[in-house]
Amino acid sequence: MIQILIILTLFCSSSAETTYNVQSFGAKSDGKSDCTKAFLSAWGAACAAMSPATIYVPQGTYLLGNAYFAGKLCKNTAITIRIEGTLVAPSDYNAIAKSESWLKFEGVTGVSIFGGTLDAQGSQLWACKNSGNACPKGATSLAFYNSNNIMISGLTSLNSQMFHVLIDGCNNANLVNMKISADGNSPNTDGIHVEKSSGVTIMNPDVGTGDDCVSIGPGASNLWIENLACGPGHGVSIGSLGWDSQEAGVQNVTVKTATFSGTENGVRVKTWARPSNGFVRNVLFQHVVMSNVQNPIIIDQNYCPNHESCPNQASGVKISDVTYQDIHGTSATQVAVNFDCSKTRPCTGITLDEVNLTYKDKPATASCANAGGTAAGVVEPTSCL
Ligand SMILES: *[C@@H]1O[C@H](CO)[C@@H](O)[C@H](O)[C@H]1NC(C)=O
Ligand SMILES: *[C@@H]1O[C@H](CO)[C@@H](O)[C@H](O)[C@H]1NC(C)=O
């Protein structure tokens, strides 16, 4: 009896992992047939399985419209999506642009995506936006909302309409070896945006895009970014923060080992010049190489485009304990270090430690307003803290 039980147990555990090939659900890899239903059916089957499940996307091109992978009725907390092919959005941008996301996961736990390429074909929407005409806002290519224990590994995202990847309201997400690419002139195509999330780790991201390589919104905490290559793009940005008067703060952010090439900013903190109870604290930027970056180190608390919607022209966001350690390279403008802090809530605890930035082979300059802190080791341009 006991032996039979053991054999049964072995049998069950060895056959436990089930694979759902999207082609068995009707997906065609011709790049022309709409595969949205087939992908959602595979998702439904994986969700209904009581043991770990893999959704397998073989080589080829799969056309997908807006796809919503809902966690609400999903019992499975171990779903792997293994992608060998490319998922493309319809060439007419209106097909997916009405929704905020192209591929949306919400309320899921334990979803991993391995490999694959997403091509949202955003270029015609960028052209529309750049022409100044009225155009839809566009869809984020891959969004995770209110989800836990997420892994994205080896995924390539091309030509998003809006953000490439969004992590919002999540706990414990690992983004590894992602490659993100869009034109340097593509508007709002942030690489990875993280907000209202804790325990997000981004390892080895390679991002070239038209907006921030990584952007960090309200309520991000315990965020780790390591070994980033950024350019073209607008750098790593904490912000914009402080639009709302009641806003969750950003804390415990580490950006370790990063290269910025020809970007608009390097490491930036940006807040609206509006009243807010938001904050930024405990941030470390470490081992960073700047190559011809317009604003290598910048805190901008006077953000108020067109001087609209900022009645008192001061940011309520309190910035404290931000460390810049081992940052070197070249600035494309003379002011390489710019701390423009709030006059009502000055920055405190800013640390510059081994910073050497040059402008046309000469020392650059530093500019400080309402910024307090210390400098250690070699600091060029001379600290104004
Ligand atoms: C800060 O975040 C890291 C992960 O990025 C985590 O390991 C560490 O425990 C956090 N520190 C605090 C004080 O929460
Ligand atoms: C700063 O970097 C430049 C260029 O690499 C170098 O020539 C200069 O000696 C460095 N300055 C200091 C004080 O180390």
Side-chain angles (χ1 to χ4, degrees):
M1 188 61 190
I2 287 170
Q3 273 169 331
I4 291 169
L5 275 178
I6 290 171
I7 289 165
L8 274 176
T9 308
L10 284 173
F11 178 77
C12 288
S13 57
S14 65
S15 66
E17 174 107 30
T18 314
T19 296
Y20 301 90
N21 186 328
V22 291
Q23 293 186 350
S24 345
F25 291 84
K28 291 202 173 56
S29 62
D30 58 11
K32 296 191 194 102
S33 317
D34 187 342
C35 300
T36 316
K37 279 204 179 113
F39 274 64
L40 292 177
S41 301
W43 172 255
C47 282
M50 297 308 287
S51 50
T54 295
I55 296 169
Y56 174 51
V57 182
Q59 284 185 5
T61 306
Y62 302 83
L63 181 69
L64 270 95
N66 298 103
Y68 177 32
F69 301 91
K72 202 167 178 205
L73 299 173
C74 192
K75 297 188 197 79
N76 203 335
T77 57
I79 297 181
T80 298
I81 304 174
R82 190 155 59 86
I83 310 175
E84 285 171 4
T86 297
L87 316 189
V88 292
S91 53
D92 174 4
Y93 60 74
N94 286 303
I96 64 162
K98 288 177 203 105
S99 217
E100 63 187 352
S101 335
W102 176 28
L103 310 174
K104 173 177 172 179
F105 291 80
E106 187 168 34
V108 301
T109 298
V111 169
S112 303
I113 300 177
F114 288 98
T117 299
L118 311 179
D119 186 351
Q121 307 213 73
S123 61
Q124 285 177 20
L125 179 59
W126 312 334
C128 175
K129 289 183 174 180
N130 285 336
S131 74
N133 292 334
C135 333
K137 193 173 171 215
T140 288
S141 283
L142 175 63
F144 278 89
Y145 289 98
N146 305 326
S147 296
N148 299 321
N149 307 340
I150 302 308
M151 163 76 111
I152 305 173
S153 176
L155 180 81
T156 298
S157 175
L158 306 174
N159 306 324
S160 60
Q161 293 189 339
M162 271 283 291
F163 299 172
H164 287 266
V165 177
L166 171 66
I167 304 292
D168 185 342
C170 297
N171 271 300
N172 185 25
N174 280 293
L175 281 58
V176 187
N177 301 338
M178 292 189 65
K179 201 167 165 14
I180 290 174
S181 175
D183 192 89
N185 287 320
S186 56
N188 313 117
T189 53
D190 295 38
I192 301 168
H193 181 84
V194 179
E195 67 175 59
K196 296 191 223 87
S197 296
S198 183
V200 177
T201 301
I202 305 172
M203 297 292 290
N204 313 326
D206 182 350
V207 185
T209 193
D211 208 306
D212 297 332
C213 289
V214 181
S215 54
I216 300 162
S221 63
N222 302 354
L223 169 62
W224 187 277
I225 301 165
E226 184 168 344
N227 207 22
L228 162 73
C230 171
H234 295 183
V236 168
S237 188
I238 298 179
S240 307
L241 302 178
W243 173 263
D244 291 320
S245 60
Q246 302 287 315
E247 191 178 273
V250 171
Q251 60 187 323
N252 188 18
V253 174
T254 302
V255 178
K256 179 180 170 174
T257 312
T259 307
F260 296 90
S261 309
T263 51
E264 188 181 285
N265 306 287
V267 290
R268 169 168 68 160
V269 182
K270 177 169 130 184
T271 75
W272 283 88
R274 290 163 59 90
S276 176
N277 67 347
F279 60 84
V280 177
R281 64 172 80 116
N282 298 335
V283 177
L284 173 63
F285 298 112
Q286 189 183 48
H287 310 318
V288 177
V289 178
M290 304 285 178
S291 176
N292 204 33
V293 173
Q294 289 174 43
N295 305 293
I297 293 177
I298 180 164
I299 295 179
D300 175 9
Q301 291 209 264
N302 284 300
Y303 183 63
C304 189
N306 310 320
H307 297 278
E308 276 168 28
S309 316
C310 309
N312 303 316
Q313 289 290 324
S315 173
V317 175
K318 173 69 186 178
I319 299 176
S320 61
D321 299 315
V322 181
T323 297
Y324 302 86
Q325 190 173 56
D326 181 24
I327 316 258
H328 59 93
T330 55
S331 175
T333 65
Q334 189 162 24
V335 181
V337 177
N338 189 358
F339 297 127
D340 186 10
C341 293
S342 167
K343 58 177 185 271
T344 52
R345 297 242 168 115
C347 299
T348 53
I350 308 292
T351 302
L352 292 166
D353 179 9
E354 297 291 341
V355 172
N356 182 1
L357 295 164
T358 58
Y359 170 61
K360 296 184 171 163
D361 296 327
K362 297 186 298 264
T365 59
S367 165
C368 289
N370 311 307
T374 53
V378 169
V379 175
E380 281 284 353
T382 308
S383 168
C384 54
L385 289 167

